Amino acid sequence: MDIAPEESMPNRMLLEIRGLKTFFYTCEGVSKAVDGVDLSIGRGETVGIVGESGCGKSVTALSILRLVPDPPGRIVGGEIDFNGKNLLQFKISEMRKVRGDQISMIFQEPMTSLNPLFTIGFQISEILRLHKDLSKGAAWDRSVEVLKMVGIPSPEKRIRDYPHHLSGGMRQRVMIAMSIACEPSLIIADEPTTALDVTIQAQILDIMCDLKEKTGASVLLITHNLGVIADTAAKVVVMYAGKVVEQADVEEIFENPRHPYTAALMKALPYPDEAAGSKKELYVIPGIVPSPAHLPPGCKFHNRCASAFARCEKEEPPLFRIAPGHLARCWLAEKCA
Ligand code: SF4
């Protein structure tokens, strides 16, 4: 099933996820890792998914690529429309063509994705030869070109390096080079800077923003750090316990967070207190994300929420539309809906 963007995409959305449910069937019970997620990404748009570990962000990304390990995982509901076609109806062989070509993924730890036995040039070239049917020479030349685009110095020489010759930051640049090699329309970046030190994190984010502008690709950026989203994304989706709890444009969410979980994530940002001229004490959200196999009744955030009241323990709030493009899953938002 080939995807022809222009002819099959009457609207501007590149990706539209509706009611996605991905469950894991374990001896502990059914773990609802993703439970009814709606999400859309426009062409050339960067959307950030934010939340702590275990909120369902990465499982959402793996579901898009149909890479959820089955068993124990299974996509049990919803639709994932990419360029107007539902990826959930694709055969495995059709999905293989989509991955790396039209949708690529950058993982947190490049060493898990790079093969230590092959040079980086061989690995980038193989992707190009597989998806673009390029000759060996043309694939090699394109590999040099993409390494140059991500700022690898002397790419003609470094292309013969093995992954262990490179620093963590350089390996992540190679992963980004691999992800753009085939000019995908969607790049999914799952915590692409988490394993790197702060200076390198900023460089990698700059490279990603720059490449997005140059290639016109859409980016789905997954992170636990709202600060990363602030500088890169146009739209933010906050996830908690497998569900979207807040969604808005990036400025709106920073100026006017309406879900206590979003507000707590912001409070936990390690920004310096400029007024005091020093670093503020790091805030930690009390408690932990509940296991998706043992979710509490009512609002899933109620046992960590400073604003919780009686109704929150019994009834789960729906997503309230509180302003155009701004949704919040909190009873406190009901009166604004
Ligand atoms: Fe907090 Fe209640 Fe809102 Fe949940 S519904 S976030 S517990 S105030």
Side-chain angles (χ1 to χ4, degrees), residues 259-261 299-302 305-309 312 317 329-332:
H259 196 285
Y261 181 55
C299 171
K300 306 302 173 237
F301 188 58
H302 81 253
C305 180
S307 310
F309 53 104
C312 307
R329 190 184 294 280
C330 173
W331 288 121
L332 296 174

Side-chain angles (χ1 to χ4, degrees), residues 37-330:
V37 163
D38 294 335
L39 172 71
S40 62
I41 306 177
R43 292 173 186 283
E45 187 177 42
T46 297
V47 173
I49 305 187
V50 72
E52 295 160 286
S53 297
C55 283
K57 314 180 300 282
S58 296
V59 177
T60 302
L62 292 174
S63 302
I64 296 169
L65 286 164
R66 301 262 310 273
L67 286 175
V68 174
D70 178 6
R74 208 182 312 149
I75 298 173
V76 294
E79 291 173 4
I80 301 176
D81 278 2
F82 177 68
N83 273 328
K85 300 234 168 105
N86 186 359
L87 293 180
L88 299 184
Q89 290 173 350
F90 277 35
K91 294 181 191 144
I92 295 298
S93 57
E94 292 168 336
M95 271 315 293
R96 271 197 210 109
K97 286 187 196 159
V98 172
R99 289 184 211 123
D101 183 22
Q102 296 165 67
I103 307 177
S104 63
M105 185 143 178
I106 305 168
F107 293 94
Q108 176 178 342
E109 178 40 75
M111 278 313 261
T112 56
S113 314
L114 291 169
N115 190 325
L117 301 176
F118 297 104
T119 64
I120 56 171
F122 177 85
Q123 295 184 57
I124 303 174
S125 296
E126 278 301 286
I127 294 173
L128 285 158
R129 296 191 69 194
L130 176 71
H131 291 298
K132 297 295 179 200
D133 202 22
L134 294 184
S135 69
K136 229 174 174 177
W140 193 260
D141 291 346
R142 170 72 178 153
S143 303
V144 171
E145 189 184 324
V146 289
L147 287 174
K148 196 172 178 183
M149 285 171 78
V150 297
I152 299 269
S154 311
E156 300 83 0
K157 283 189 197 148
R158 302 308 299 263
I159 194 167
R160 296 179 196 283
D161 282 355
Y162 288 84
H164 68 269
H165 291 139
L166 304 168
S167 65
M170 284 295 166
R171 285 199 287 264
Q172 197 56 297
R173 285 178 194 235
V174 171
M175 283 304 302
I176 297 171
M178 277 174 137
S179 77
I180 59 166
C182 295
E183 300 180 318
S185 38
L186 175 64
I187 299 171
I188 301 174
D190 190 359
E191 304 275 9
T193 60
T194 302
L196 306 171
D197 71 48
V198 178
T199 332
I200 309 295
Q201 280 184 16
Q203 286 174 12
I204 295 293
L205 289 173
D206 282 350
I207 290 168
M208 288 188 60
C209 290
D210 185 42
L211 289 172
K212 190 191 93 69
E213 290 306 315
K214 283 186 183 145
T215 62
S218 305
V219 177
L220 181 60
L221 179 63
I222 295 168
T223 179
H224 64 279
N225 184 348
L226 256 176
V228 167
I229 301 272
D231 298 328
T232 45
K235 197 164 79 186
V236 183
V237 173
V238 182
M239 283 188 73
Y240 189 78
K243 295 194 174 182
V244 172
V245 294
E246 184 155 16
Q247 182 177 317
D249 290 346
V250 73
E251 293 86 11
E252 168 76 2
I253 220 152
F254 275 90
E255 277 168 25
N256 190 20
R258 301 307 293 266
H259 196 285
Y261 181 55
T262 313
L265 287 174
M266 265 176 214
K267 211 172 157 191
L269 278 172
Y271 284 155
D273 183 342
E274 282 168 21
S278 63
K279 288 217 165 187
K280 68 178 183 185
E281 200 176 315
L282 201 62
Y283 172 77
V284 179
I285 305 172
I288 53 167
V289 178
S291 157
H294 301 106
L295 292 171
C299 171
K300 306 302 173 237
F301 188 58
H302 81 253
N303 48 8
R304 303 176 75 192
C305 180
S307 310
F309 53 104
R311 186 181 190 184
C312 307
E313 291 177 28
K314 298 188 192 89
E315 292 177 58
E316 181 165 28
L319 264 180
F320 293 108
R321 188 173 301 276
I322 48 185
H326 193 165
L327 310 171
R329 190 184 294 280
C330 173

Side-chain angles (χ1 to χ4, degrees), residues 5-20:
E6 284 73 24
E7 66 179 37
S8 61
M9 201 60 194
N11 60 35
R12 65 177 194 94
M13 286 302 157
L14 175 70
L15 182 82
E16 281 198 279
I17 299 176
R18 287 184 289 273
L20 178 67

